[in-house]
Amino acid sequence: MASSFPMDIPPALSDLISTGDTMYAALSSTVPEYRFGFLRNITLEGIEPYLRYHMLAIGMRPTLVFGGYGSLRQDLVSPDSPLVKCSPNILVTAFMLEELDSSYGLPGWDASRSQEELSAIFAVLMATDVPTIALNTFIVPFYSEIGVLIAALDVASQVTRLNDFVRNFVREHSPRFCLMDWDRLAHRIGEAEAMDYRYWYISKAPFKRPFLDALARELVKVVLTLNGRGKKCLVLDCDNTLWGGVIGEDGIEGIQLDGHDYPGRVYYDFQKNVLQLAERGVLIALCSKNNEQDVLEVLDNHPWSLLKRTHLSAFRINWNDKAANLAGLAKELNLGLDAFVFVDDNPRELELLRQVLPQVTTLQVPDRLYEYPALLLRDGLFDTLIISQEDRIRASLYQTEAQRRTERNQHANLEDYLSSLGQVAAIHAATDGEARRVAQLTQKTNQFNLTTRRYSDHEIANFRASPDARVYTLSARDRFGSLGLTGVFIAQRRQDTAVVDSLLMSCRALGRQLEFAFVLECMRHIVADWQVQAWEAEYLPSAKNNQVADFWGGLGFTLLEEVKGDRRYRLPASMPEIASPFFIHVERE
């Protein structure tokens, strides 16, 4: 079983390599490789033991391929290039300005020539089929060549300008392009720990171990995000976690929470970062041993409480044990426990939770309270490459779901309840505006996902452009409101057969029989367009998708073979002999 990320590394390089070898030997032979390609003008082979160690720690088998020096364009386009041959899952640039522009650092140097060179390289990168590309920024000099003088043109300002160009390019072309911010890493670690000037001059190897480890960790964060391993729900204790003190004893006026003075300012700044996560679509929940009304009064009425009741997707505020409450939250939100991060100040509570629910990632409020605000940001647990409209309104979507649960309790059986919802399913070929959300769902959806194939927006674009592929989306609503874009269906044509590549649905759309209406409508479209004679489909088991193991059989597909849990199905007729649910109205193009 893979360990949690991030992990501390062994202190000595020899121990790191040895531990990595042990981890590699213990890894299942069925684990597929994940390929990193490095397009570089420096020596970066030193990153290999660090990246290998952290990838193995999350249960993935890494392969690293390095391009040559000073042959950037050839490495990208030549069919004999190692980078082209390896077909990397992620391509990582590693450029130093000293090698990119021979005039770098001379009096009067400006970034124009370097920016032109980068523009040309980025254009070539855009034309490749690499699904994910990580671009590095450049390290702003630690020392000023003009001393205390403020000049119109200095190296630091020009490097900053170039970094702004790189960041803007990534912003405009995300999520296919992402950022490896060398400048931020180097200045966070510090010059003495990041830069190895001796080996830079000897062998063009500019970085020390802490920087290489930090860069490896940043790359693994991207890999986790692309493979649906990011966390989805932040669960918070309240007393001495959201504020200082105990609300039941100190009262709303006595707790420590304000925007000016220590320690209240620490909790205020921590809440700022909670709201930043909520803005990115992370679900926020509370799990606290407290009187419910006391806690809600703080959220509703405390002048310095940034977190409000409207930010919450769910809460358990009672005197029950927290493990049971977390399990209840997981059931209510329809999420796996491994999607949860729980923050508490009590080490005994956290230790008990680790024993009972080891799937949950736990974080403790640090003893050095001034380090607390950065707790949620430092490890990238909630990182994502895409923020969709559904992310921004996710809390309200889950709050509306609570209204549906109340409605469900008023009906004697499930069919009556589903009939009462007035469900509408909008099903059509994915549009340009939906493409990013489609990629996001392939990267994040785990439970209702028949094949768990992860795709970048670039790969989705290739599917949409191909005459032999179709990408459909499902957006659903009912009388309580919209569920957003919740389903994706991808099929490919192979002669007279349509092959289902991917079928997945967001967890909040489950239990409504929308999946049947969705699949049947997509199949109707494809049969009409392609005139196929048969369908083929697969179920590829993962740690989380057991609930859909029999989906294709339930639609009337015949099981052709099963190998190590992988099932392949076929339907000789053009359509399944099953009717779309009568209580779902399908909106057609």
Side-chain angles (χ1 to χ4, degrees):
M1 181 177 177
S3 302
S4 60
F5 177 82
M7 289 180 63
D8 292 333
I9 62 172
L13 180 58
S14 58
D15 293 334
L16 178 70
I17 295 172
S18 176
T19 304
D21 290 342
T22 301
M23 295 164 69
Y24 188 87
L27 199 65
S28 169
S29 59
T30 61
V31 174
E33 67 173 353
Y34 196 90
R35 299 177 300 279
F36 294 85
F38 289 87
L39 185 71
R40 47 69 179 274
N41 61 15
I42 61 171
T43 300
L44 200 67
E45 280 82 349
I47 197 175
E48 183 162 7
Y50 303 94
L51 186 52
R52 182 171 183 258
Y53 176 85
H54 290 303
M55 286 290 289
L56 292 170
I58 63 171
M60 301 185 77
R61 187 189 309 274
T63 296
L64 281 68
V65 176
F66 294 88
Y69 300 99
S71 56
L72 304 180
R73 289 178 179 79
Q74 298 93 310
D75 284 337
L76 291 174
V77 299
S78 172
D80 296 325
S81 160
L83 292 184
V84 172
K85 286 182 176 180
C86 83
S87 297
N89 300 102
I90 181 170
L91 184 67
V92 185
T93 67
F95 303 149
M96 291 283 282
L97 279 172
E98 289 87 342
E99 298 299 304
L100 197 68
D101 185 347
S102 59
S103 64
Y104 170 72
L106 290 173
W109 177 81
D110 71 65
S112 299
R113 178 178 170 185
S114 297
Q115 184 169 322
E116 291 176 3
E117 178 70 7
L118 287 177
S119 295
I121 294 171
F122 294 172
V124 178
L125 287 170
M126 286 279 289
T128 68
D129 288 326
V130 180
T132 304
I133 301 168
L135 303 181
N136 69 280
T137 59
F138 301 95
I139 299 171
V140 175
F142 290 94
Y143 306 100
S144 172
E145 80 282 6
I146 58 174
V148 298
L149 178 66
I150 301 299
L153 189 68
D154 69 320
V155 172
S157 65
Q158 291 299 301
V159 176
T160 299
R161 167 190 155 191
L162 198 59
N163 284 343
D164 287 342
F165 166 74
V166 175
R167 292 188 180 100
N168 287 333
F169 183 90
V170 169
R171 189 175 295 113
E172 293 170 4
H173 297 89
S174 66
R176 186 188 182 199
F177 285 80
C178 59
L179 193 68
M180 290 293 108
D181 200 339
W182 286 12
D183 184 53
R184 178 177 57 82
L185 290 180
H187 284 83
R188 188 186 76 196
I189 295 168
E191 179 190 21
E193 292 295 307
M195 308 307 298
D196 195 327
Y197 296 118
R198 176 189 177 193
Y199 281 100
W200 165 243
Y201 286 112
I202 293 174
S203 57
K204 294 185 181 179
F207 301 127
K208 290 182 179 178
R209 292 188 64 198
F211 184 92
L212 295 171
D213 179 46
L215 180 56
R217 290 170 186 260
E218 292 295 301
L219 288 169
V220 173
K221 290 177 187 178
V222 174
V223 173
L224 287 169
T225 298
L226 290 170
N227 285 271
R229 303 273 289 273
K231 306 300 181 181
K232 298 178 180 179
C233 184
L234 171 64
V235 186
L236 300 163
D237 181 38
C238 293
D239 292 332
N240 293 308
T241 302
L242 273 178
W243 51 76
V246 178
I247 183 61
E249 299 175 2
D250 301 322
I252 192 170
E253 296 180 354
I255 60 174
Q256 298 162 335
L257 178 62
D258 65 72
H260 301 293
D261 298 326
Y262 181 86
R265 176 66 182 269
V266 170
Y267 296 102
Y268 179 78
D269 286 348
F270 175 78
Q271 288 197 24
K272 284 183 182 178
N273 288 332
V274 172
L275 295 195
Q276 290 285 359
L277 293 178
E279 180 68 15
R280 285 161 43 187
V282 175
L283 300 179
I284 308 298
L286 301 183
C287 180
S288 175
K289 290 182 177 179
N290 242 312
N291 292 320
E292 181 179 304
Q293 191 54 46
D294 289 344
V295 170
L296 296 180
E297 184 183 7
V298 176
L299 302 186
D300 293 341
N301 299 318
H302 196 287
W304 290 107
S305 180
L306 297 173
L307 189 69
K308 301 298 182 184
R309 198 187 306 207
T310 54
H311 294 119
L312 302 180
S313 298
F315 57 81
R316 293 290 188 278
I317 305 171
N318 52 43
W319 298 99
N320 299 333
D321 74 89
K322 292 182 178 179
N325 278 335
L326 276 169
L329 286 170
K331 183 177 181 181
E332 177 179 338
L333 298 173
N334 201 15
L335 293 173
L337 285 164
D338 60 348
F340 284 73
V341 174
F342 179 56
V343 182
D344 200 327
D345 67 298
N346 190 325
R348 291 183 296 276
E349 292 273 15
L350 292 174
E351 180 56 35
L352 177 62
L353 195 62
R354 293 184 193 107
Q355 294 177 16
V356 178
L357 298 177
Q359 311 96 309
V360 175
T361 298
T362 57
L363 299 175
Q364 184 177 341
V365 178
D367 293 334
R368 293 181 289 199
L369 195 60
Y370 50 83
E371 297 179 350
Y372 187 33
L375 181 70
L376 300 176
L377 306 180
R378 66 185 185 193
D379 297 329
L381 294 171
F382 300 97
D383 279 0
T384 180
L385 298 180
I386 311 169
I387 299 178
S388 65
Q389 178 60 25
E390 281 81 3
D391 292 328
R392 294 187 172 92
I393 62 172
R394 181 163 286 123
S396 65
L397 293 174
Y398 275 87
Q399 289 163 4
T400 305
E401 193 61 30
Q403 300 174 29
R404 296 186 179 98
R405 285 194 299 272
T406 301
E407 175 76 11
R408 172 67 179 92
N409 294 333
Q410 298 175 7
H411 292 271
N413 59 66
L414 179 61
E415 186 171 288
D416 287 346
Y417 163 65
L418 294 177
S419 298
S420 75
L421 288 177
Q423 296 185 88
V424 178
I427 301 167
H428 54 245
T431 66
D432 291 344
E434 294 173 332
R436 286 190 174 186
R437 172 62 175 164
V438 170
Q440 182 188 51
L441 280 173
T442 70
Q443 294 165 12
K444 294 177 65 174
T445 306
N446 295 306
Q447 296 180 60
F448 195 105
N449 194 332
L450 275 295
T451 56
T452 322
R453 294 187 173 107
R454 313 296 188 183
Y455 290 121
S456 69
D457 63 322
H458 181 65
E459 290 168 314
I460 295 299
N462 288 342
F463 277 128
R464 294 180 60 223
S466 171
D468 293 319
R470 292 288 186 272
V471 181
Y472 291 96
T473 64
L474 164 69
S475 297
R477 66 182 188 273
D478 60 23
R479 63 187 177 88
F480 289 99
S482 173
L483 280 77
L485 198 164
T486 59
V488 174
F489 182 98
I490 303 174
Q492 297 191 70
R493 176 167 52 185
R494 296 177 188 165
Q495 297 178 339
D496 63 350
T497 301
V499 180
V500 181
D501 175 273
S502 297
L503 170 61
L504 52 102
M505 290 182 60
S506 172
C507 58
R508 67 172 178 271
L510 303 184
R512 303 163 172 273
Q513 299 189 27
L514 285 163
E515 59 271 23
F516 299 111
F518 184 34
V519 170
L520 292 172
E521 183 67 8
C522 292
M523 294 177 74
R524 185 187 70 81
H525 274 260
I526 288 172
V527 168
D529 286 349
W530 287 348
Q531 300 296 310
V532 293
Q533 301 301 309
W535 285 90
E536 287 189 3
E538 293 175 295
Y539 164 70
L540 306 179
S542 71
K544 300 181 182 180
N545 71 350
N546 183 63
Q547 65 175 290
V548 296
D550 300 318
F551 179 80
W552 294 119
L555 278 182
F557 281 66
T558 300
L559 179 63
L560 295 181
E561 63 176 353
E562 181 172 357
V563 179
K564 295 182 179 180
D566 294 359
R567 302 177 188 177
R568 189 165 64 88
Y569 293 86
R570 187 174 178 86
L571 184 70
S574 59
M575 292 290 292
E577 295 181 2
I578 182 173
S580 182
F582 69 89
F583 44 76
I584 298 175
H585 172 69
V586 175
E587 283 188 347
R588 297 188 168 97
E589 293 178 322

